[in-house]
Amino acid sequence: MAAKLILSMDGLVLKEIPLSKERTSLGRKPHNDIQIDNLAISGEHAVIVTILNDSFLEDLNSTNGTYVNGQPVKKHFLQNNDVVELGKYKLKYINETPSQTTTADFEKTMVLRPDMMHKMAEQAPTKSMSDTHVGVQAEDVATTPPGTSHEVASTPAAQSTPPAAPRPAAPAAMPMGAVQVLSGSNAGKELELTKNLTTLGRPGVQVAVITRRPHGYFITHVEGANFPVVNGATLGTNPHELKDHDLIELAGVKMEFFFKG
């Protein structure tokens, strides 16, 4: 079930808005995805970035501010039943799908804080034998002593058993992505992108997220006036698929995305 917003004023529900886009703008001007024609609302008041099952709210330096559950916010990781307040209007956030991200995850500056990178490295799960299993099962290994295989094959039970269908080849797993910091005090440090969503940047300056999807890694702008730069080109509001050895510039730091192994 996709996340949605329920817009109301003075307790009266006005409409429901599904968060079907990755970037949903709120404001008084007509070009906004959610237009609220009220002078208390700035022309471009706030934006909600939705990635996978997670939504992030950012106030766009509005005149009267954005409130969540009665508290003023600049950016906020939305959780089920949060109430966003813009003037007299309220937007209740409904998302019954369990999130894979926590508020703490969103607040972390993964790349720019070496202590957080060490913690992630310690918490990274170790691959078990089942993770690297390639479809070879116990019955695939010949354990019959020499000279007895013909006797087994000639029994009625063996003759009546149809040959096993060949196993379909397992799909090739996408290689693990990582970023390496190329400039600044953390130059040379590496971060494996093991999570479905990894926050990069510096809160209050510039933040982006890299999402791990079945068909690749994508970077999306979340916070800040300036958008991330990949290979010298400034990105837009839409997610951008990362290629091996792409160069990323974010919050004044240069880093390289690459596939491991």
Side-chain angles (χ1 to χ4, degrees):
M1 181 178 177
K4 63 182 179 181
L5 297 171
I6 300 177
L7 177 64
S8 64
M9 184 181 69
D10 296 331
L12 178 66
V13 174
L14 302 177
K15 61 179 174 178
E16 291 189 5
I17 305 116
L19 291 174
S20 55
K21 298 175 61 177
E22 299 222 15
R23 191 175 181 87
T24 303
S25 58
L26 301 85
R28 192 180 69 255
K29 293 183 178 179
H31 67 263
N32 287 284
D33 298 302
I34 301 176
Q35 183 194 10
I36 302 177
D37 191 7
N38 186 286
L39 291 176
I41 311 299
S42 296
E44 295 174 350
H45 196 101
V47 66
I48 295 174
V49 177
T50 301
I51 302 169
L52 300 179
N53 296 326
D54 300 320
S55 295
F56 309 94
L57 169 72
E58 180 188 359
D59 179 82
L60 299 177
N61 296 318
S62 63
T63 302
N64 294 318
T66 301
Y67 292 75
V68 176
N69 303 329
Q71 299 297 319
V73 299
K74 283 297 182 183
K75 64 184 178 69
H76 178 77
F77 172 64
L78 289 169
Q79 301 181 67
N80 191 31
N81 292 322
D82 275 354
V83 177
V84 181
E85 300 170 50
L86 297 84
K88 294 182 179 181
Y89 291 83
K90 293 184 178 181
L91 289 156
K92 187 173 184 179
Y93 176 74
I94 303 295
N95 185 2
E96 297 176 354
T97 304
S99 172
Q100 297 175 335
T101 304
T102 66
T103 303
D105 287 332
F106 181 55
E107 296 296 337
K108 291 172 185 173
T109 52
M110 299 276 187
V111 163
L112 303 184
R113 281 175 51 189
D115 59 319
M116 196 57 63
M117 295 177 67
H118 290 318
K119 184 181 294 185
M120 281 196 66
E122 293 170 359
Q123 294 176 348
T126 304
K127 282 195 174 182
S128 63
M129 288 299 291
S130 60
D131 292 331
T132 55
H133 190 58
V134 291
V136 178
Q137 298 183 1
E139 61 265 30
D140 295 329
V141 182
T143 57
T144 307
T148 61
S149 59
H150 177 71
E151 295 174 7
V152 174
S154 63
T155 61
Q159 292 174 350
S160 62
T161 303
R167 293 188 184 88
M174 183 178 64
M176 175 67 65
V179 290
Q180 183 175 29
V181 183
L182 303 179
S183 66
S185 59
N186 291 312
K189 293 191 179 295
E190 181 182 303
L191 173 65
E192 288 189 354
L193 302 172
T194 57
K195 300 171 66 174
N196 286 338
L197 188 152
T198 302
T199 308
L200 303 175
R202 183 176 294 148
V205 179
Q206 190 178 19
V207 175
V209 293
I210 294 180
T211 52
R212 184 184 185 188
R213 305 183 185 182
H215 53 288
Y217 286 84
F218 292 78
I219 185 170
T220 306
H221 173 76
V222 172
E223 177 191 356
N226 297 320
F227 284 62
V229 174
V230 176
N231 298 330
T234 302
L235 302 184
T237 58
N238 294 324
H240 176 83
E241 183 175 5
L242 291 169
K243 304 295 185 184
D244 199 19
H245 300 300
D246 272 355
L247 297 178
I248 304 168
E249 295 179 51
L250 181 69
V253 174
K254 293 183 179 180
M255 60 196 83
E256 179 185 5
F257 170 84
F258 63 96
F259 288 109
K260 303 194 72 173

